[in-house]
């Protein structure tokens, strides 16, 4: 491609509403253009990267046996009523009426439509398993669209849906998709992690989010640098391998006036924070036999830990969990928060984190204002508690897979593989005749990738103060040629055209900047746009038979290369950067 | 692709709502699946053909210098209000409100959005010309969607929009697009014609529709078999090279009781129908200086011709044209329709078609019930009329380009190139700084192709009682291998797999039907689906080293080919069918 035959439009300044770096850089590089809140035109240079992402996804989906189709964006409400999501889905679902006043939605996702297709087409177990996908524009009416393509309203997604005979087969399909996603994000050249995710109401443990690692990511991830383990912080298991030591001191009350936090008490007593126990009181609202009741739960974690209420919410018997009110606390503990503890409590469900259960001689509130207890020991001073994993993991915790210790990072979710079970197939009656001739309900999975979001995530991971640093596989161009004086020097033009033709002939995605701009303007544009490799051709170098070569990522610093060698040098650098 | 790894689903019967053959065959071949009225899922086999169409379009658009981008489907109402189409566009424009109650539309076309992009990005003449295109799903809320992909509501289109400095440059761009369309439809393997079309309110003569020729087409086209000339029948110029002969008989009244049509009068008088003149009365409602008036127009065409009211509507002074009421006719002519004529009329604008102006001694109504006039002559019996082309062309008319005579055919519109002038650029104030430093309004053109409609049109043009006969370039597969007893005979499996691998390695888009179905089922499926070339492998033939080869279009009848030769024979047949 020649710059004069392309549509380039870089900006010096990002618009004021671009809050994060990927949004700013995509706007400045001219990749996207705002049409309405969260609705963007993908400009030619942006579309080039989108197509590269799509092609990699398509190749790997096909390789994994998935079959591409294309479903409509506009969907009849009936299917959403059948699945129950017409009511459940919030205002993010864009609803509309056609000219005959029939209800439709613009699809934010396609479980209903694909299940309708498959229930009509698949009659026999012989037609299963089946994995169908599409790459398509979706619409979610975000209440506050922002961050450019990261949280847009109209966006491009790859969504796949699998249908299997039984759970064993469905889980096999899940694993195949998991593997395909690993290959996709590897080929995209991104630093990513597959992160165990919450399965919500579906249950089971087959849900993984694929996160691009970036300091600016919305999600906190716990991972093990020496293994594949990774999970959302809320979900990562906190294990405790320590054994409880024997008690060494008697329990005693300590006057701790005004020191209502573990930190303050530890400081007063000159103890490690990890010797203290933090008490957090929750109310569990239950309905048993249509009778409402409130159970008070005292959650105990070490002073240096935090309670994880998602984990707490999954304890047996917990229905509706919330923090207890001050009135409830005073009623149950006889004192206000700040000096609460598990000793002597009645009608309170005491749940100790695993690490708390392994403590001896610990410090906790005395259930009396301005007082704590010192030297408290389980079994001796109070009953053994209910023990569970109820805390957030922290850096340095043992990895649940036993392969090392956990580290923390932040991530941007760009993909999700999800075992759905029979959630939609049951609601929409997607059945088939099994080997035994009896009807059975299909097992489903769904597998999404945010195509346009990947561009934003890739930039959040790879940028500097000059602009974007694209991985080779999704850069809008692989190589840019910057001739200095293209329209003034015949030699520069000749060498630039020759190298351009040679690279094109070799299948390289090359941009020749024939705009005849000043070098500073050219360099600034291409560094902003983030093309991985650059060759600069000028009269001065060419007099000595030399051109300049460098890579955007800094790994190849600016150096002179003989004109005769440059084609090979560029191809070598490309080969080193190509994945898969 | 192997059939067992693909999603095939042919039907014996088309659904009842499929009225035309392309709709029936696309449903039966499993290419599309109905989701709602005019809304279809493109099933895997249908999507394969769509992608092939898209790729040919993309290659030729790029070759012609157009640049691809991707605009949103959901568009803010403000732009449509700015262009005036928010009011003018009828209920086909699907309007909706987002969660914040703001008005949006689902784009049926993108003039507004692209003009908004370009007015913001293009500041200087140096950035022009610019031709931007996208391939995208559009939505038009047809009141009665039908004919499958031919008149759907959601459909895939390629739409391009050009921006030029001045009219000369815009018309050059138009010609480039015209050429690109010629190449596109040629490469698609379709019998088509570029047809001069009405420019409506835009004016000018730069509007061509590209029609796929098919007996079932909605549009009547007049074309010249010995030249490139083609036009919608409504638009084709009817020329008249005949000179008016001298008068030979005096005018006389004839009693023609009950013979109120030209046919009846010609029969009574034993004259050729072309010797009679047909009188059709129109009312032209005008507003001049805010005063309403009705002008009565008497349109005269030969008895064997039909009045063309589109042409009539373009006569000077004609504002709002309609057929005259009986009351208006009686008032102007003193008699009821059936015996009307131009002789002796007053306060009537008499317009004669060119061919009528060239007549002598003609027959027309006498403006008296049950009477006609015979031997009527212009200049002698009545004043010379206003002469214009106001009739539809008929088969055998001289071609307006002087290259022969016109023939008639029917066509399906699949593409449209249109010179827009400043219609949108003026409304949306898309200006640039011209060479002289002064702001100027851009000149625009738009260029559409109905991607999904092409599939339907290709089928209407190419089918038989067994199914579709695809042109090679858009067939879902180029070659199908039908092994008989794939799972039973090792030799059949071995030879089928070997040929399959060899064809794949040669870049051929090949389908191996490894379903182990009976030959009749396999053949019926692939003839319905319309794969151009078929190789059948069976034990009987293989014992003699032979396989069967044939083409779907009947040009290669079933014949035996040596196993050693089949790869070459298939490649040869493909080479002969490849275009561009």
């Amino acid at each position: 491609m020649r710059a004069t035959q392309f549509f380039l439009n870089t900006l010096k300044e990002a618009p004021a509403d671009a809050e994060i770096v990927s949004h700013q850089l995509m706007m400045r590089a001219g990749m996207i253009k705002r049409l309405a809140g969260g609705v963007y035109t993908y400009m030619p240079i942006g579309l080039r990267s989108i197509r590269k992402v799509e092609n990699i996804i398509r190749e790997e989906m096909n390789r994994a046996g998935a079959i591409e189709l294309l479903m409509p964006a506009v969907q009849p409400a009936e299917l959403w009523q059948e699945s129950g999501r017409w009511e459940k889905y919030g205002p993010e679902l864009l609803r509309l009426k056609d000219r005959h006043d029939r209800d439709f939605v613009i699809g934010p996702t396609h479980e209903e439509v694909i299940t309708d297709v498959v229930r009509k087409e698949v009659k026999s177990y012989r037609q299963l398993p089946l994995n169908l996908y599409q790459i398509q524009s979706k619409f979610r009416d975000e209440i506050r669209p922002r961050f450019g393509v990261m949280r847009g309203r109209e966006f491009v997604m790859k969504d796949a849906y699998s249908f299997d005979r039984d759970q064993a087969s469905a889980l096999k399909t899940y694993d195949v998709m998991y593997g395909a996603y690993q290959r996709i994000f590897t080929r995209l050249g991104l630093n990513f992690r597959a992160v165990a995710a919450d399965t919500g109401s579906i249950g089971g443990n087959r849900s993984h989010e694929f996160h691009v690692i970036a300091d600016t990511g919305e999600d906190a991830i716990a991972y093990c640098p020496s293994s594949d383990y990774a999970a959302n912080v809320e979900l990562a298991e906190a294990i405790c391998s320590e054994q409880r030591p024997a008690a060494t001191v008697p329990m005693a009350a300590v006057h701790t006036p005004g020191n209502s936090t573990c930190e303050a008490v530890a400081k007063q007593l000159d103890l490690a924070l990890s010797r203290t126990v933090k008490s957090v009181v929750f109310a569990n609202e239950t309905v048993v036999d249509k009778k409402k009741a409130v159970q008070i739960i005292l959650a105990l974690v070490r002073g240096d830990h935090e309670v994880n209420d998602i984990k707490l919410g999954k304890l047996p018997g917990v229905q509706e969990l919330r923090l207890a009110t001050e009135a409830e606390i005073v009623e149950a503990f006889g004192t206000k928060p700040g000096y609460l503890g598990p000793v002597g409590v009645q009608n309170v469900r005491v749940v100790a984190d695993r690490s708390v259960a392994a403590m001896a001689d610990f410090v906790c509130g005395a259930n009396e204002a301005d007082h704590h207890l010192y030297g408290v020991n389980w079994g001796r001073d109070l009953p053994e508690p209910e023990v569970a994993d109820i805390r957030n993991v922290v850096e340095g915790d043992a990895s649940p897979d036993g392969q090392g210790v956990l580290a923390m990072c932040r991530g941007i979710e760009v993909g999700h593989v999800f075992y759905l079970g029979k959630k939609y197939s049951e609601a929409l009656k997607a059945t088939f005749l099994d080997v035994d001739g009896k009807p059975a309900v299909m097992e489903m999975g769904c597998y999404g990738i945010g195509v346009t979001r990947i561009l934003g995530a890739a930039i959040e991971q790879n940028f500097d103060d000059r602009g974007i640093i694209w991985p080779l596989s999704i850069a809008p161009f692989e190589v840019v040629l910057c001739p200095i004086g293209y329209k003034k020097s015949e030699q520069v033009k000749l060498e630039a055209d020759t190298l351009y033709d040679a690279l094109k002939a070799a299948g390289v995605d090359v941009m020749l900047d024939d705009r005849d701009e000043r070098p500073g303007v050219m360099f600034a544009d291409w560094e902003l746009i983030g093309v991985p490799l650059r060759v600069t051709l000028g009269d001065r170098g060419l007099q000595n038979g030399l051109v300049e070569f460098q890579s955007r990522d800094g790994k190849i610093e600016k150096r002179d290369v003989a004109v005769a060698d440059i084609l090979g040098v560029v191809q070598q650098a490309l080969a080193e950067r190509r994945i898969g």
Side-chain angles (χ1 to χ4, degrees), chain A:
Chain A
M1 184 63 70
R2 286 168 179 267
T4 54
Q5 286 160 25
F6 195 63
F7 191 35
L8 287 176
N9 238 1
T10 54
L11 299 173
K12 284 249 183 302
E13 300 287 339
D17 71 330
E19 299 169 50
I20 61 170
V21 71
S22 60
H23 189 186
Q24 292 161 357
L25 290 176
M26 287 183 82
M27 295 295 293
R28 285 188 54 208
M31 301 191 74
I32 54 173
K33 185 93 199 158
R34 185 182 183 280
L35 176 64
V39 179
Y40 293 89
T41 293
Y42 304 112
M43 298 294 283
I45 202 161
L47 186 60
R48 291 182 74 89
S49 288
I50 290 174
R51 294 280 188 244
K52 292 188 180 186
V53 172
E54 288 178 355
N55 284 341
I56 287 173
I57 293 174
R58 186 171 281 124
E59 282 175 19
E60 293 301 335
M61 290 302 290
N62 291 348
R63 189 199 302 243
I67 307 169
E68 189 173 5
L69 46 49
L70 182 60
M71 290 178 270
V74 176
Q75 311 176 0
E78 287 79 5
L79 286 177
W80 289 75
Q81 285 155 355
E82 213 177 329
S83 75
R85 288 209 286 188
W86 178 255
E87 284 78 31
K88 276 181 211 151
Y89 219 109
E92 279 181 24
L93 182 64
L94 190 57
R95 296 149 211 256
L96 56 115
K97 285 177 188 291
D98 76 356
R99 65 192 288 165
H100 302 298
D101 218 38
R102 292 194 203 100
D103 286 312
F104 285 83
V105 308
I106 305 187
T109 177
H110 279 68
E111 281 85 1
E112 282 82 359
V113 175
I114 195 73
T115 307
D116 178 58
V117 167
V118 169
R119 70 179 171 181
K120 286 173 179 160
E121 297 287 335
V122 171
K123 304 294 173 201
S124 156
Y125 71 94
R126 277 185 293 260
Q127 294 168 275
L128 299 176
L130 190 59
N131 191 351
L132 297 165
Y133 77 97
Q134 63 175 350
I135 297 175
Q136 196 220 29
S137 280
K138 305 233 177 300
F139 198 97
R140 285 185 197 163
D141 203 0
E142 294 276 352
I143 187 160
R144 201 191 149 201
R146 56 191 171 145
F147 303 153
V149 296
M150 302 287 269
R151 193 167 294 282
R153 293 201 288 175
E154 186 167 328
F155 54 93
V156 180
M157 251 190 91
K158 186 282 297 176
D159 45 329
Y161 307 90
S162 66
F163 298 84
D164 282 87
R165 280 178 60 189
D166 53 30
Q167 196 187 42
S169 173
L171 297 182
K172 216 168 113 188
T173 299
Y174 182 93
D175 291 341
V176 168
M177 278 296 103
Y178 184 96
Y181 274 44
Q182 294 273 1
R183 283 193 300 278
I184 288 167
F185 293 110
T186 301
R187 285 186 58 191
L188 290 173
L190 298 172
N191 177 14
F192 72 98
R193 284 225 164 228
V195 174
D198 195 4
T199 50
S201 61
I202 302 278
N205 56 358
R206 297 292 179 127
S207 170
H208 285 87
E209 293 169 1
F210 284 75
H211 283 260
V212 168
I213 305 306
D215 293 340
T216 52
E218 279 191 315
D219 294 300
I221 297 166
Y223 71 100
C224 176
S226 44
S227 79
D228 270 352
Y229 181 82
N232 270 322
V233 160
E234 293 78 24
L235 209 70
E237 185 182 0
I239 60 174
C240 178
S241 51
E242 286 162 43
Q243 297 293 317
R244 185 191 299 167
T248 60
V249 293
M251 180 170 80
V254 196
H255 191 216
T256 52
N259 291 335
S260 63
T261 64
C262 286
E263 286 77 5
V265 174
K267 196 174 171 195
Q268 180 191 331
L269 301 179
D270 197 21
L271 286 174
L273 189 55
S274 59
R275 294 285 307 281
T276 65
V277 168
K278 190 187 296 182
S279 297
V280 187
V281 188
F282 290 86
N284 171 27
E285 299 189 348
T286 61
V287 180
V288 181
D289 294 336
K290 293 186 182 169
K291 269 187 67 177
K292 284 189 188 180
V294 173
Q295 178 188 53
I296 298 299
I297 297 179
L298 175 63
L300 302 174
V301 296
R302 254 172 33 189
D304 55 337
H305 289 155
E306 294 295 333
V307 174
N308 177 317
D309 51 6
I310 293 175
K311 292 179 178 178
L312 204 61
K314 290 181 181 168
L315 289 185
V318 173
Q319 292 184 8
E320 219 28 70
L321 195 75
R322 58 168 172 80
L323 283 171
T325 63
E326 193 167 300
E328 286 168 333
I329 291 171
V330 170
E331 189 190 333
F333 294 85
T335 184
K336 287 190 183 173
Y339 303 89
L340 305 179
V343 179
V345 294
Q346 288 190 327
N347 298 322
V348 169
R349 179 175 175 184
V350 177
V351 183
D353 184 64
R354 290 163 174 172
S355 57
V356 171
M359 291 169 82
D361 299 336
F362 62 82
V363 174
C364 62
N367 292 326
E368 185 189 344
D370 295 335
H371 284 82
H372 279 77
L373 296 173
Y374 178 91
V376 183
N377 283 280
W378 296 111
R380 185 191 74 182
D381 307 322
L382 74 172
E384 289 291 342
E386 177 181 349
V387 182
D389 169 20
I390 59 166
R391 70 169 174 98
N392 285 333
V393 293
V394 294
E395 214 153 328
D397 274 347
S399 175
D401 66 355
Q403 304 289 305
V405 294
L406 292 180
M408 296 292 175
C409 66
R410 300 198 75 80
I412 300 163
E413 188 193 342
V414 288
H416 199 166
V417 291
F418 205 106
Y419 164 62
L420 286 170
K422 297 176 177 169
K423 182 177 159 91
Y424 295 96
S425 46
E426 228 154 37
L428 277 88
K429 301 188 183 59
T431 61
F432 64 101
L433 290 185
D434 212 341
V435 191
D436 56 10
K438 289 182 185 152
V441 176
M442 298 177 202
E443 285 269 338
M444 288 177 60
C446 67
Y447 318 92
I449 293 182
V451 173
T452 35
R453 191 173 231 233
I454 282 174
L455 300 192
I459 294 171
E460 294 289 336
Q461 187 174 82
N462 305 283
F463 69 92
D464 63 17
D465 53 1
R466 286 172 294 159
I468 303 166
I469 305 173
W470 287 114
L472 184 71
S473 58
I474 55 178
F477 300 99
E478 294 177 319
V479 181
V480 59
L481 308 185
C482 294
I484 299 172
Y486 183 78
K487 288 178 186 160
K488 294 179 196 89
S489 160
E490 273 186 38
Q491 192 186 12
V492 165
K493 181 175 188 313
L494 177 72
E495 293 295 349
D497 286 347
T498 304
L499 181 56
Y500 176 64
D501 291 340
L503 285 168
K504 272 211 303 184
V508 175
D509 188 8
V510 56
M511 160 59 75
L512 169 60
D513 190 345
D514 58 349
R515 294 177 296 169
D516 208 32
E517 288 278 5
R518 285 181 295 110
V521 171
M522 275 196 287
F523 298 163
D525 274 353
W526 297 113
E527 285 171 356
L528 171 58
I529 290 167
V531 176
L533 301 178
R534 184 173 96 201
V535 180
T536 310
L537 307 94
D539 268 327
R540 209 183 318 173
L542 287 175
Q543 277 163 17
N544 301 313
L546 297 173
V547 297
E548 251 178 41
F549 178 59
Q550 67 196 98
S551 74
R552 178 67 181 89
D553 60 11
K555 284 179 189 151
I556 303 171
E557 288 189 32
K558 186 155 68 180
R559 62 187 176 90
D560 288 333
V561 175
V563 171
D565 298 336
I566 186 65
L567 179 63
V569 167
V570 169
Q571 287 182 296
Q572 176 64 27
L574 288 171
E576 283 164 8
R577 283 168 168 73
R578 285 216 169 94
I579 308 160

